[in-house]
Amino acid sequence: MKISDETIDRVKSAGSVVFFSGAGISAESGIPIFRGKDGIWNKLKPEELANFDAFLRNPQMVWEWYEHRKKIILESKPNSAHLAIAEMQNFISNVIVITQNIDNLHKRAGSKIVYELHGNIERNYCIKCHTMYNREIEFIDGIPKCKCGGLIRPDIVWFGEFLPQDQFNASEKASGECDVFFIIGTSAVVYPAASLIYTAKAGKAYLIEVNIESTEISHIVNESYFGQAGEVLPEILEKIKN
Ligand code: APR
C-alpha cells in the first residue's frame, strides 16, 4: 500500500493525533465485526442481546452471549494495527485513542490514553448498588449476583444508553483540537460515537480513513486507505520512524 507524503508530513508535524477505532481494527485479532457480510448483527438481533430491557427479560441469555464474546476476546491478542498505534507514542508528542470497541486490545497493546466510548467487557457492575466487579464474578443459575442481591451486568453501553460522560467529553475535546484524526475500521453509523468524526472535521483535523471498503464518511475525509488496518498502520509507522 502506498502511503502518501501528505499523510507522513501531517503525522510527523502533528501536535496531536487521534486514532478513532471500531470493530474492524480487531477483526485481524479474530474478533467478529458487527456489520457487513460476516457481521454479528446479520445472525443475532441487537435488540435481544445489547439492550437493558432484553437483559432484564432474559439475563441468562444475555450473559451467555457476553461470556461467549469474552472467551473469544480473552483468547485474542492485539494485532499489528493496535501495536503500531501504541508504538507511534514514541514518535508523536500526543497520541490519543478513542475506541468504540470493548475488547481492551488498545490498552493491552500499550496505548496509554484510551477513551472507551462503549465500555469494556472485562468490567461489570451491580445494577442496584453500582459496585464494580472485574473478573471475579460467580454465576448462580447462569446469573451473577452482587453481595447486595442485585443483578450484575457487563460494563458495556447498550443501544439506547448514554455513553460514559467523562469518556465522551474528553473524546470531543481531543477530536476538536487534534491535527490528524484517523478513522479506523468503523462503519461510522452508530451515534453519538460517529459524531466525533464531524467534530474533528469542524476543527483543524486532517481526516484519514483506514477501512477495507468505503463507508458513510468516505466522502468527507482527506485521504482514504482501502486495506487491512493490520497492514496500513504498520506501514505508516515505518515511514514515520525513518
Ligand atoms: N481493517 C480495516 N477495516 C476493517 C477490517 C480490517 N481488517 N475488517 C473490517 N473492517 C471494517 C468494515 O468494512 C466495517 O466498515 O470495519 C468496519 C466494522 O464496522 P462495524 O461492524 O459496524 O463495527 P463498528 O463501526 O465498530 O460498530 C459501532 O456498533 O454494534 C455497535 O456498539 C457496537 O461499537 C459497536 C458500534
Side-chain angles (χ1 to χ4, degrees), residues 35-229:
R35 297 170 185 83
K37 64 180 173 27
D38 312 325
I40 292 176
W41 296 145
N42 294 345
K43 305 176 203 76
L44 300 167
K45 294 194 177 66
E47 58 277 7
E48 284 178 8
L49 292 166
N51 85 29
F52 190 55
D53 294 339
F55 177 67
L56 292 180
R57 269 198 312 274
N58 193 338
Q60 288 95 328
M61 181 180 73
V62 172
W63 265 110
E64 198 179 309
W65 188 57
Y66 278 102
E67 285 301 288
H68 166 70
R69 288 189 67 201
K70 197 186 297 184
K71 188 170 174 305
I72 294 170
I73 286 169
L74 294 178
E75 283 165 2
S76 72
K77 53 187 195 317
N79 64 52
S80 51
H82 299 103
L83 294 169
I85 292 172
E87 194 176 339
M88 283 191 210
Q89 293 172 126
N90 303 327
F91 303 95
I92 303 165
S93 46
N94 192 11
V95 174
I96 294 159
V97 172
I98 301 172
T99 189
Q100 300 170 90
N101 301 338
I102 58 167
D103 57 33
N104 210 33
L105 291 183
H106 282 295
K107 287 183 185 166
R108 284 173 56 192
S111 287
K112 294 187 181 65
I113 305 176
V114 180
Y115 298 126
E116 296 173 323
L117 298 178
H118 294 162
N120 185 316
I121 202 161
E122 295 190 15
R123 292 193 307 262
N124 312 282
Y125 65 88
C126 171
I127 62 173
K128 199 168 161 195
C129 68
H130 292 277
T131 301
M132 289 302 294
Y133 289 84
N134 288 328
R135 295 195 192 168
E136 75 296 338
I137 46 176
E138 77 258 5
F139 287 75
I140 302 155
D141 302 330
I143 305 179
K145 286 280 180 73
C146 175
K147 28 192 190 306
C148 81
L151 208 44
I152 296 176
R153 61 167 283 177
D155 184 16
I156 290 169
V157 179
W158 282 329
F159 287 101
E161 293 187 324
F162 289 109
L163 274 59
Q165 206 52 50
D166 60 334
Q167 302 291 299
F168 190 69
N169 290 347
S171 298
E172 275 201 311
K173 185 171 183 308
S175 303
E177 293 172 354
C178 69
D179 303 294
V180 180
F181 188 90
F182 280 89
I183 304 144
I184 306 169
T186 182
S187 56
V189 295
V190 173
Y191 284 78
S195 67
L196 296 171
I197 299 166
Y198 297 91
T199 304
K201 179 124 186 110
K204 54 182 178 176
Y206 187 77
L207 272 60
I208 302 173
E209 181 178 31
V210 178
N211 200 310
I212 52 173
E213 59 190 16
S214 66
T215 65
E216 310 249 319
I217 50 97
S218 296
H219 67 289
I220 67 162
V221 300
N222 298 93
E223 278 192 278
S224 285
Y225 290 98
F226 293 119
Q228 307 263 354

